[in-house]
Amino acid sequence: MFEPESPIPCQIIVFPLTKRAAKIRDVAAKIMDKTTDRQAEAYRNQAAGSLFRHLAKIGVPEDEQDEQVGAFFTAVELELSRLYDLNDTAEETSSY
């Protein structure tokens, strides 16, 4: 009666990682709380691994995963810069 049609190719469009502001702030804050560069790098690698696994699980192609995770960590770096600037400003005003 009904014959199966050939599958229609589809493209997965993922909500961009760079728009996940809460996640970006969370990762930046956790990196900033680490006491050594080694700890910060280990956490960064852990977070990146988690993001890669999530994107792979939902079928995002590897090249797109690289772009998404790279852009995410660029946003994290911007947030870290903002947090460091806030800390510097707070320290300058508190010394008076």
Side-chain angles (χ1 to χ4, degrees):
M1 182 173 204
F2 293 104
E3 290 187 35
E5 296 180 23
S6 61
I8 299 172
C10 65
Q11 177 185 9
I12 296 172
I13 300 174
V14 179
F15 188 76
L17 295 179
T18 58
K19 302 297 182 191
R20 297 180 183 187
K23 181 72 172 171
I24 290 166
R25 285 189 212 109
D26 181 58
V27 170
K30 287 179 180 174
I31 288 172
M32 194 168 178
D33 286 343
K34 301 303 179 193
T35 56
T36 66
D37 288 343
R38 186 175 179 182
Q39 289 175 344
E41 187 64 28
Y43 178 73
R44 184 185 310 264
N45 290 341
Q46 177 185 356
S50 176
L51 292 171
F52 277 117
R53 282 188 300 279
H54 170 70
L55 293 174
K57 184 177 179 180
I58 62 174
V60 176
E62 220 172 284
D63 59 331
E64 179 66 21
Q65 291 177 35
D66 290 340
E67 286 183 36
Q68 288 280 327
V69 174
F72 176 83
F73 278 101
T74 297
V76 168
E77 290 298 324
L78 290 171
E79 179 65 12
L80 281 168
S81 179
R82 188 186 72 78
L83 291 173
Y84 282 120
D85 288 347
L86 283 176
N87 278 353
D88 287 345
T89 303
E91 288 174 8
E92 288 174 9
T93 59
S94 67
S95 63
Y96 289 106

